Amino acid sequence: MNERTELNTSRLIVAGSPQIHDALSTTKLNWLVAAGVAPAALWGFIQFGLPAVTVVLAGVGAAALTEAVLPKRVGSVRDGNAILIGLLMSLMFPPAAPWYLAAVSAVFAVGIVKWAFGGLGHAILNPAVAGRVLAQVLAPQEMSRYAIPLALGGGEFEHGATAVMAVRSAAGSVEPLQRLQELGYPRSVLDQAVTAWLNEHLFEPVGVVLPSGYVDPFIGLAPGGIGETSALLLLVASAVLLGRRVISWQVPLAFFAGFAAAIAVWGSVAFGGVALRGDVLFHSLHGGVLFLMFFCATDNTGAPATGNGMVLYGLAAGVLAAVLRLFGLYAEGLAVAVLVVSFFVPLINHVTKPARFGFSRRRRKPLLYKPRG
Amino acid sequence: MKLIHTFLKGGVFPPEHTRTARDAATWNAMIPARCVVPLLQHSGVPARRIVQRGQRVNEGAIIGAARAYESARVHAPIPGVVSEIIQLTLADGRQSEAVVIELDGEFQQLGRSIKPRDWRRLKNRRIYEQISDAGVVGLGGEGVPSHTKYVLPKTAAVEWLIVNGCESEPYLSSEYRLLRERPQQLVEGIQILMRLLSPKRTVIALAGHTRSAVSGLRGAVAAARSRIQLQRLAGKYPQGDEHTLVGSVAGRAVRGAATVADAGCMVIDVATVLAMYEAVLLGKPLVERTVTVSGGAIAQPGNLKVRLGASIGDLIEECGGFCAAPRKLVVGGPMRGHAVTDLTQPVTKLTSAVLALTEEELQSVGQTACVRCGRCVRACPMGLEPVMLHLLIAQHDWRAVVKAGVFDCTECGCCGFICPSGIPLVDQLKQAKSQIRREEHEDGERAH
Ligand code: SF4
Ligand code: SF4
């Protein structure tokens, strides 16, 4: 045997099959999702300035610290899970929320929702979502302080801090965008310019007119949660994560289907209109729906294990989110929808048990063929 | 030809090796000067050794006789002298006696062209004899002796004969090479089987990269005026497994614990068809097979025609040796193969590949706690819930483990491959199976 086939056997690994592994590990998954929301977070910092930075720092710091000081169960700070929890949670906060509220909620999320239930993999609710909901319950006033982006002049919109809140609180047109216009909701020049261009080149030839007001929330010039405002950044990030199979497609797709259907049916009714005339686009672009469905609802924790279960879970959460948006106590903070559906996950897992190969689905009996031996 | 089909539930997309061996022609490996020939190269009972130390053997002489019906003959791959009889641990962990032959004397078969026999004149019984005399076993899977597998089932007629032209695992390309290089022989071999089994439909299934062998095959089928059909399948792993393949091609779901023959389906891989062809037409015993040598640490990946009993070290040397430090040496494919540390391991009838994998290729993940992500559940083609099995196994609740379908697990490896927490799910499932079998056996003993 020549030197090219010399082998350092002490460096060889012997393990059972399979001998190779998929590129993703739990640690990588956490960091990849965190990287996915990072651009949206940066955009939030640019939009809302220092207050937003403090909220996120407080949330992430408190989450990491909690994980570090609590006795180890499973995992550690380095697996990125606690940091991801803190990050996702604080990105759903209004930029003007007090930083200590973010810190307290993060401690709750990591210390109670995750750790007290047994740590990584044992929690039954999504900690980030639970933290966000806790803050809403603790300080509903503070959690409604949404700032207008600095580019649109900063400050706070007097008729309800976000577009959705404004639409819900004031009377006026049935169409949400018109209602906003009547209230004098801030619009950027960009919005008008882009809408005009789109209409001229894209929509008019096919006989449709796009009302102005959709472009701002699409690129992210709107009041909202720190990381929730830019639909564009969130869509790009989730496309990348979906492509790498980091997040599932079942949950966001079903969530959107449920949400869109419910909004279409009741979206207009809520404002004195008729059924089936809801503005799906408006509601999808505003108020953190995309953030919730792509980054929070897709988290393992509090989600079902089976493919069909994920569809069911997504659908239910989507419909519930829409109902909360239209008729609930708080116009913002749809996160609670995810939390509620999580309670039903054991049931969902049970009814969507996968069909065993070669078994009939309903009776769970072997189809035709008996086992050998 | 129909649209591209596939099995519906589960499956994964493991990476292929970047420097694939697929495009280079199969070459003949050097004849080894020393062959280590295990007597257990198939599933079932080991062959009975019929040679002694010091005895001279011819090329192709019988050295192990089939001990029972579920056994297969073993032949001398090279002419020479039996220098030793040793005990050996095979790559798959089984123990076997092995005959060591030192090369000496004349080759009677190599390079000599034999006039093919006209198999159409032979009786079926004679054909089966030829197959069993040549020691043909399934070269793609567990090595079931072919004369026991491809017989008319008692319960059903053979409705589907499916020739498995899918690569059984990633990294492998030997099936593709055979499909490209020997389509006429393949078709003729299939015709033999069609006569033995008289299936209602005969299909060659191609998946992933073997799909591009379709044109050559079409020509060979047309030239033979055969009614063999070609079916293209998606390149998803484990497309080449019997159960998923029957699901994809025939649309029949057979639970993992049952044989597909019970559903009237016979699956045979390309290499085995060709071995049968050689056995029946040329009277050639099974003493060589095609092996893929690949992996990031191999200098020149390739497909080699190898005499059984050659060491895997010889093959690696022939492929230019290592070009990087291997972290895993695998006999078989990356999903089901066995990691070994020993370059003297012999090539057997079951050795589909020899892989030397680098650190980067392993992408190994340290074991952490299950995060209940359900990826294993969604990946399992048998519709099992590996995470549930994992929890039940930890509780030693064997009754529940059986009920949850552990014996339907085909050990395809999808769950262990995908689990982001690096839990050795397949190991646990295998161990649970043998534990349960052992306990059942002990209970049985006690009852007597
Ligand atoms: S190894 Fe068994 S349990 Fe795991 S995916 Fe394959 S069939 Fe399912
Ligand atoms: S893939 Fe691994 S971590 Fe995910 S549920 Fe299955 S066993 Fe648990």
Side-chain angles (χ1 to χ4, degrees):
Chain A
M1 227 166 265
N2 66 19
E3 90 279 9
R4 281 184 309 172
T5 41
E6 242 167 47
L7 193 61
N8 184 356
T9 44
S10 64
R11 270 184 51 81
L12 284 182
I13 306 173
V14 182
S17 62
Q19 306 296 348
I20 54 172
H21 193 273
D22 186 53
L24 296 171
S25 65
T26 35
T27 306
K28 244 193 211 163
L29 286 170
N30 287 328
W31 289 116
L32 282 171
V33 175
V37 293
L42 275 181
W43 177 250
F45 295 161
I46 297 169
Q47 293 263 69
F48 305 114
L50 205 56
V53 180
T54 17
V55 169
V56 173
L57 279 184
V60 173
L65 211 64
T66 314
E67 175 92 9
V69 297
L70 282 175
K72 284 286 139 305
R73 285 198 144 151
V74 270
S76 69
V77 181
R78 264 185 298 143
D79 68 23
N81 187 255
I83 292 174
L84 180 64
I85 292 172
L87 187 62
L88 290 179
M89 187 203 74
S90 48
L91 289 181
M92 289 188 282
F93 269 56
W99 64 267
Y100 51 85
L101 190 60
V104 169
S105 306
V107 171
F108 170 78
V110 176
I112 308 289
V113 184
K114 179 183 168 188
W115 188 84
F117 277 87
L120 195 64
H122 294 275
I124 51 169
L125 301 177
N126 184 322
V129 173
R132 170 67 176 81
V133 171
L134 177 85
Q136 184 90 40
V137 174
L138 285 182
Q141 289 296 316
E142 279 72 18
M143 288 303 281
S144 311
R145 292 247 172 79
Y146 287 91
I148 294 174
L150 298 174
L152 294 182
E156 203 173 309
F157 187 50
E158 67 257 285
H159 303 284
T162 66
V164 181
M165 288 160 79
V167 166
R168 276 197 38 172
S169 60
S173 289
V174 172
E175 290 298 315
L177 282 176
Q178 261 166 35
R179 195 179 277 199
L180 287 180
Q181 192 135 33
E182 290 158 15
L183 292 171
Y185 181 80
R187 292 261 162 78
S188 70
V189 262
L190 195 66
D191 185 282
Q192 267 138 42
V194 174
T195 310
W197 187 89
L198 283 175
N199 274 330
E200 190 180 326
H201 291 92
L202 225 64
F203 294 114
E204 257 157 32
V206 289
V208 195
V209 178
L210 182 76
S212 66
Y214 287 124
V215 176
D216 271 349
F218 182 72
I219 46 181
L221 286 167
I226 299 169
E228 293 176 342
T229 55
S230 174
L232 178 64
L233 289 177
L234 294 175
L235 285 173
V236 169
S238 45
V240 173
L241 294 185
L242 275 171
R244 296 190 60 174
R245 295 170 211 260
V246 171
I247 57 177
S248 66
W249 56 268
Q250 289 100 331
V251 171
L253 197 71
F255 188 108
F256 187 74
F259 183 80
I263 290 288
V265 173
W266 295 307
S268 193
V269 179
F271 308 115
V274 289
L276 296 174
R277 299 299 296 275
D279 189 340
V280 174
L281 189 56
F282 171 84
H283 285 283
S284 325
L285 291 177
H286 284 98
V289 175
L290 297 177
F291 189 89
L292 189 69
M293 75 184 209
F294 281 120
F295 298 100
C296 294
T298 49
D299 198 280
N300 309 324
T301 320
T306 61
N308 290 345
M310 290 162 94
V311 171
L312 214 59
Y313 168 87
L315 270 177
V319 171
L320 191 58
V323 171
L324 286 174
R325 151 80 51 97
L326 297 172
F327 309 106
L329 199 51
Y330 307 111
E332 291 289 340
L334 306 179
V336 71
V338 171
L339 220 53
V340 171
V341 181
S342 283
F343 281 109
F344 295 96
V345 161
L347 183 69
I348 295 176
N349 271 336
H350 183 74
V351 298
T352 59
K353 237 178 168 9
R356 297 251 302 267
F357 195 71
F359 283 67
S360 77
R361 181 177 264 288
R362 255 187 298 128
R363 289 184 292 144
R364 308 226 155 113
K365 281 208 177 131
L367 279 176
L368 314 163
Y369 322 112
K370 294 219 178 63
R372 62 187 143 192
Chain B
M1 185 176 300
K2 279 193 267 170
L3 278 153
I4 290 174
H5 281 209
T6 188
F7 58 100
L8 295 175
K9 161 109 191 26
V12 292
F13 298 90
E16 275 294 335
H17 182 37
T18 40
R19 292 179 297 128
T20 172
R22 154 175 19 137
D23 299 321
T26 312
W27 78 83
N28 290 323
M30 277 194 312
I31 301 294
R34 181 171 184 270
C35 277
V36 178
V37 192
L39 291 164
L40 182 56
Q41 303 195 28
H42 45 264
S43 72
V45 196
R48 180 168 47 84
R49 174 168 60 84
I50 57 168
V51 290
Q52 308 303 326
R53 210 178 135 206
Q55 190 172 332
R56 179 166 286 278
V57 290
N58 289 330
E59 183 196 15
I62 305 166
I63 55 177
R67 206 192 280 266
Y69 182 59
E70 286 85 17
S71 181
R73 264 190 194 172
V74 176
H75 301 82
I78 51 171
V81 178
V82 176
S83 65
E84 261 180 297
I85 310 290
I86 56 172
Q87 276 295 325
L88 193 73
T89 307
L90 300 170
D92 55 21
R94 293 185 299 178
Q95 296 286 328
S96 170
E97 199 178 28
V99 175
V100 183
I101 304 171
E102 302 283 348
L103 177 67
D104 185 22
E106 297 247 318
F107 283 91
Q108 278 117 13
Q109 294 192 336
L110 188 81
R112 189 170 296 180
S113 66
I114 309 167
K115 193 165 168 296
R117 213 178 281 151
D118 184 6
W119 61 271
R120 281 167 225 270
R121 296 233 195 99
L122 298 179
K123 291 220 167 61
N124 280 1
R125 191 174 47 82
R126 184 82 193 98
I127 292 180
Y128 278 118
E129 268 172 25
Q130 289 281 337
I131 292 170
S132 109
D133 286 352
V136 178
V137 307
L139 297 174
E142 297 162 20
V144 181
S146 295
H147 63 276
T148 69
K149 187 168 175 185
Y150 302 105
V151 292
L152 289 171
K154 290 192 192 72
T155 47
V158 180
E159 286 179 50
W160 290 84
L161 173 62
I162 302 170
V163 180
N164 187 354
C166 318
E167 236 40 273
S168 59
E169 298 207 26
Y171 280 70
L172 271 56
S173 48
S174 53
E175 300 279 292
Y176 174 71
R177 288 316 315 172
L178 294 174
L179 285 167
R180 283 293 297 273
E181 289 164 14
R182 300 166 67 184
Q184 288 86 6
Q185 297 179 2
L186 176 70
V187 168
E188 184 136 23
I190 297 170
Q191 286 175 318
I192 302 177
L193 274 160
M194 286 164 80
R195 204 187 86 193
L196 293 180
L197 302 170
S198 43
K200 293 215 181 85
R201 301 180 65 175
T202 307
V203 173
I204 304 178
L206 306 168
H209 71 243
T210 68
R211 290 208 299 250
S212 51
V214 76
S215 52
L217 283 172
R218 212 183 271 146
V221 170
R225 295 223 181 79
S226 172
R227 55 190 180 88
I228 300 171
Q229 293 168 312
L230 300 172
Q231 170 80 66
R232 284 184 289 188
L233 305 171
K236 177 161 80 164
Y237 179 83
Q239 192 69 268
D241 269 20
E242 285 197 354
H243 288 79
T244 40
L245 190 65
V246 164
S248 301
V249 175
R252 298 186 176 187
V254 184
R255 61 180 299 194
T259 56
V260 294
D262 297 342
C265 299
M266 290 277 179
V267 178
I268 186 164
D269 54 280
V270 170
T272 313
V273 175
L274 289 169
M276 277 189 187
Y277 168 92
E278 292 186 344
V280 176
L281 272 80
L282 312 177
K284 216 174 130 189
L286 180 59
V287 291
E288 53 188 4
R289 68 158 298 156
T290 315
V291 179
T292 301
V293 182
S294 184
I298 298 287
Q300 287 169 337
N303 286 295
L304 277 71
K305 200 167 186 188
V306 186
R307 295 275 158 152
L308 303 178
S311 76
I312 62 171
D314 289 349
L315 301 194
I316 291 172
E317 196 163 344
E318 194 138 347
C319 290
F322 297 120
C323 61
R327 277 294 258 158
K328 241 183 206 174
L329 215 52
V330 181
V331 173
M335 299 298 280
R336 287 171 182 272
H338 306 279
V340 298
T341 54
D342 187 359
L343 285 173
T344 63
Q345 271 289 336
V347 170
T348 72
K349 293 176 186 174
L350 304 182
T351 310
S352 54
V354 175
L355 307 176
L357 304 174
T358 59
E359 184 83 53
E360 297 81 65
E361 284 174 294
L362 301 182
Q363 308 200 94
S364 51
V365 165
Q367 188 178 345
T368 52
C370 167
V371 292
R372 314 276 161 95
C373 64
R375 279 170 197 256
C376 54
V377 179
R378 298 193 292 282
C380 179
M382 289 294 115
L384 307 178
E385 295 169 273
V387 52
M388 285 305 298
L389 288 162
H390 159 73
L391 296 174
L392 293 170
I393 289 168
Q395 294 164 9
H396 297 274
D397 188 349
W398 301 129
R399 197 180 291 260
V401 171
V402 173
K403 200 151 168 270
V406 73
F407 286 105
D408 279 339
C409 166
T410 58
E411 298 171 13
C412 66
C414 292
C415 53
F417 170 79
I418 206 80
C419 173
S421 298
I423 300 171
L425 294 163
V426 184
D427 272 356
Q428 293 177 352
L429 291 165
K430 284 185 187 167
Q431 278 162 19
K433 281 189 200 175
S434 56
Q435 174 80 19
I436 293 166
R437 287 214 183 93
R438 198 157 51 233
E439 284 183 14
E440 265 173 10
H441 183 71
E442 279 164 14
D443 286 352
E445 302 265 280
R446 230 171 286 141
H448 277 287

